[in-house]
């Protein structure tokens, strides 16, 4: 059993969906679980629907949803002939369910509605792709992943109930085992459901993680993430034209990269794979003959410098109010505040009577933290900063990237350097 995940970019046009079919036809004899994201920027568009709905702009929400509806219907019309009607019926069920909700008035918290609305993106895309593949002779069984992936009700960042989900996956694999081999189970990433049948989401870009959950529970031989890039690169090629493809990486290295903000793979993805030693392939769906990147437990030496830049950073300067040393007590209080506000600083620098925290600039979080911290510290906030991280750095490269920048903070270990700049 192999697990494949196709991201939104691999299904954002009719041609690309046809391409997914070509890739899957290369794996005819394999048992596959195929996870597919919402098409292109559908999730962003659905977020706008949720915002309009929650702001009480029902008409706007319905109108925005209408655009999404039409896009999917157009795609389905292009792709399908014999299976169009059946597909249309199923799409319509999803539309009706969402529109029904949009006609209501919001009475619960935003995150709940967000999940009920945003989950539709993956249901629509997988429905179309499933019918299309079946019409083209690539037999597959569509599954509503909300019947499998059970989560808690921490909407927008739901946590998986591994026991329940594990049992469901087991049932699924025995059912599939009775069918002819070569069948594909086709389902959604990113979404799940609570024990009260409310839809949940696992955090943006969470489909990689869903694929890893399946891979773990099915003891898959591998997981492949099909992307629109050659594999995992040492830097963003748009910013650094001499970025290199890294053919092999260790799980640990990828966890480090994700931690520092590399947008390669959803950070939660690695653990379920690492726990079972399941290799992760990152491959280019535009050219499946390219080798891509293999991520496994094998430790890889001599990696090139890996460059990660996080934009939109804020720096919070905290100054001890009574000029006393920043000791254990204020530090532990500060960590408590960070925990309560669910804030993960990207960098912390402590001094004798002051402390600096670099965080993603999310206005409401910064305000909350500044307000809470002002009880024990003088607080100053600086915005519009960028955080550069280089793993396996050399000083030459560091100078090359930062020579024209105004550096505010720098932290170095033997492996990693981080520089915050204006
Ligand atoms: N469609 C979701 C998103 O765009 C999940 C995913 O693609 O992984 O965040
Ligand atoms: Mg995606």
């Amino acid at each position: 059993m192999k697990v494949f995940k196709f991201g939104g970019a691999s299904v954002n046009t009719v041609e690309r969906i046809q391409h997914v079919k070509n890739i899957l036809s290369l794996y005819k004899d394999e048992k596959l679980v195929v996870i597919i994201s919402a098409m292109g920027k559908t999730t962003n568009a659905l977020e706008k629907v949720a915002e309009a709905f929650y702001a009480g702009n029902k008409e706007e929400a319905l109108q925005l949803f209408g655009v999404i509806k039409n896009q999917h219907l157009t795609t389905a019309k292009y792709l399908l002939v014999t299976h169009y009607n059946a597909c249309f019926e199923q799409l319509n069920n999803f539309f009706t369910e969402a529109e029904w909700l949009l006609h209501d008035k919001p009475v619960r918290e935003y995150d709940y509605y967000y999940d009920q609305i945003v989950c539709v993106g993956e249901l629509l895309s997988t429905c179309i792709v499933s019918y299309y593949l079946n019409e083209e002779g690539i037999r597959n069984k569509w599954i509503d992943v909300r019947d499998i992936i059970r989560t808690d009700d921490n909407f927008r960042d739901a946590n998986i109930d591994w026991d329940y989900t594990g049992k469901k996956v087991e049932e699924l694999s025995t059912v599939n085992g009775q069918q002819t081999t070569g069948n594909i189970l086709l389902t959604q990433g990113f979404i799940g459901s609570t024990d009260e049948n409310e839809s949940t989401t696992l955090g943006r870009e969470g489909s990689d993680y869903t694929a890893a959950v399946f891979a773990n529970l099915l003891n898959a031989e591998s997981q492949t993430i099909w992307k629109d890039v050659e594999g995992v690169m040492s830097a963003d090629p748009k910013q650094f034209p001499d970025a290199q493809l890294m053919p092999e990486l260790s799980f640990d290295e990828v966890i480090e990269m994700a931690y520092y903000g590399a947008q390669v793979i959803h950070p939660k993805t690695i653990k379920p794979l690492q726990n079972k030693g399941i290799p992760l392939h990152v491959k280019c769906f535009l050219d499946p003959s390219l080798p891509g990147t293999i991520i496994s437990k094998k430790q890889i030496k001599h990696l090139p410098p890996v460059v990660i830049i996080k934009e939109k950073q804020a720096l919070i300067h905290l100054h001890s109010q009574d000029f006393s040393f920043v000791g254990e007590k204020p530090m532990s209080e500060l960590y408590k505040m960070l925990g309560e506000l669910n804030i993960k600083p990207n960098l912390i620098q402590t001094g004798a009577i002051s402390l600096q925290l670099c965080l993603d600039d999310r206005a409401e979080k910064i305000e909350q933290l500044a307000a809470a911290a002002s009880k024990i510290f003088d607080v100053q906030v600086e915005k519009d900063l960028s955080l550069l991280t280089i793993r396996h750095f050399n000083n030459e490269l560091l100078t090359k990237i930062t020579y024209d920048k105004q550096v505010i903070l720098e932290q170095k270990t033997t492996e990693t350097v981080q520089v915050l700049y204006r």
Side-chain angles (χ1 to χ4, degrees):
M1 175 74 83
K2 291 190 169 110
V3 178
F4 282 3
K5 180 254 174 176
F6 291 93
S10 51
V11 287
N12 68 349
T13 62
V14 167
E15 292 73 28
R16 286 193 166 186
I17 297 174
Q18 288 163 335
H19 211 77
V20 168
K21 176 200 77 185
N22 296 339
I23 290 176
L24 290 177
S25 63
L26 299 172
Y27 294 87
K28 264 210 193 86
D29 304 323
E30 306 260 5
K31 270 190 157 188
L32 298 178
V33 170
V34 177
I35 312 271
I36 296 178
S37 290
M39 290 176 184
K41 301 275 176 236
T42 307
T43 305
N44 293 3
L46 285 164
E47 283 183 336
K48 295 272 178 300
V49 175
E51 282 161 25
F53 165 77
Y54 206 70
N57 304 326
K58 186 165 97 184
E59 294 313 318
E60 187 193 341
L62 285 164
Q63 187 260 327
L64 290 171
F65 189 69
V67 176
I68 297 168
K69 236 168 100 167
N70 286 335
Q71 282 165 348
H72 285 84
L73 287 172
T74 309
T75 306
K77 252 180 227 154
Y78 268 111
L79 286 168
L80 297 165
V81 184
T82 51
H83 290 46
Y84 179 75
N85 287 343
C87 179
F88 176 77
E89 205 173 299
Q90 196 180 339
L91 291 177
N92 234 358
N93 289 340
F94 298 132
F95 295 151
T96 313
E97 208 176 307
E99 282 168 337
W100 203 54
L101 181 139
L102 295 178
H103 276 99
D104 263 356
K105 270 207 174 70
V107 286
R108 295 182 58 170
E109 77 276 22
Y110 174 68
D111 290 355
Y112 163 78
Y113 290 106
Y114 176 100
D115 281 4
Q116 311 318 302
I117 295 167
V118 163
C119 72
V120 177
E122 337 290 294
L123 294 167
L124 299 176
S125 67
T126 52
C127 173
I128 295 173
V129 175
S130 171
Y131 275 108
Y132 169 66
L133 292 174
N134 275 324
E135 188 171 309
E136 293 289 322
I138 300 189
R139 281 192 54 206
N140 69 92
K141 185 174 156 64
W142 181 89
I143 290 161
D144 187 334
V145 86
R146 295 172 301 175
D147 296 333
I148 313 281
I149 303 275
R150 168 66 59 83
T151 70
D152 63 8
D153 61 359
N154 191 24
F155 296 108
R156 288 185 76 176
D157 191 18
N159 302 294
I160 294 197
D161 175 343
W162 283 86
D163 287 338
Y164 183 93
T165 305
K167 285 192 194 103
K168 284 288 175 187
V169 168
E170 206 173 307
E171 283 170 29
L172 198 69
S173 55
T174 51
V175 170
N176 194 43
Q178 287 159 9
Q179 292 172 359
T180 48
T181 49
N183 269 1
I184 296 171
L185 295 178
L186 192 143
T187 195
Q188 308 80 41
F190 174 58
I191 67 177
S193 126
T194 67
D195 55 1
E196 294 184 26
N197 278 329
E198 300 155 318
S199 300
T200 52
T201 65
L202 308 174
R204 285 301 307 264
E205 304 299 330
S207 296
D208 295 349
Y209 177 48
T210 308
V213 172
F214 273 98
N216 175 296
L217 293 171
L218 289 163
N219 295 308
E221 71 182 83
S222 64
Q223 172 175 335
T224 304
I225 298 182
W226 295 91
K227 287 176 87 83
D228 55 356
V229 291
E230 236 181 287
V232 180
M233 307 292 287
S234 62
D236 181 351
K238 283 182 220 119
Q239 291 174 9
F240 299 93
D242 43 6
Q244 301 172 37
L245 172 75
M246 296 185 286
E248 278 186 288
L249 285 170
S250 68
F251 288 128
D252 292 345
E253 182 65 33
V254 174
I255 289 174
E256 294 279 352
M257 286 170 65
Y259 172 81
Y260 290 114
Q263 309 244 300
V264 271
I265 288 149
H266 191 280
K268 281 192 201 162
T269 310
I270 298 300
K271 206 162 158 264
L273 299 176
Q274 192 172 27
N275 285 348
K276 293 246 172 118
I278 300 168
L280 173 62
H281 300 251
V282 178
K283 282 181 67 86
C284 180
F285 69 80
L286 298 167
D287 186 355
S289 69
L290 293 175
T293 299
I294 301 179
I295 300 157
S296 71
K297 57 185 180 205
K298 188 171 142 197
Q299 292 306 322
I300 309 296
K301 292 199 187 93
H302 311 300
L303 286 172
V306 174
V307 182
I308 302 152
I309 296 178
K310 271 189 139 201
E311 310 282 1
K312 281 209 199 143
Q313 297 294 297
L315 185 66
I316 304 200
H317 302 259
L318 303 173
H319 215 271
S320 150
Q321 276 167 349
D322 56 4
F323 292 94
S324 64
F325 288 110
V326 177
E328 287 148 36
K329 210 161 160 270
M331 280 298 266
S332 68
E333 283 195 40
L334 178 68
Y335 274 98
K336 214 173 114 210
M337 286 175 214
L338 293 170
E340 278 164 7
L341 294 169
N342 203 1
I343 294 178
K344 294 176 197 77
N346 298 325
L347 186 86
I348 298 184
Q349 182 116 320
T350 48
I353 50 170
S354 71
L355 196 147
Q356 290 164 313
L357 289 174
C358 167
L359 344 153
D360 293 344
D361 184 0
R362 290 176 53 191
E364 80 294 351
K365 293 273 179 193
I366 305 261
E367 272 162 36
Q368 286 166 340
L369 178 63
S374 65
K375 292 185 191 110
I376 36 175
F377 299 102
D378 287 329
V379 183
Q380 270 179 311
V381 181
E382 200 176 339
K383 294 195 174 191
D384 291 324
L385 306 173
S386 303
L387 179 62
L388 161 77
T389 303
I390 314 178
R391 303 253 315 138
H392 326 291
F393 69 98
N394 59 57
N395 287 322
E396 222 181 293
L397 179 66
L398 178 61
T399 317
K400 195 173 146 198
I401 301 179
T402 56
Y403 82 97
D404 58 346
K405 312 275 192 295
Q406 202 181 338
V407 174
I408 301 174
L409 264 184
E410 183 174 310
Q411 257 182 27
K412 260 185 202 173
T413 65
T414 45
E415 200 75 57
T416 307
V417 61
Q418 287 195 285
V419 175
L420 186 70
Y421 62 83
R422 239 180 233 112

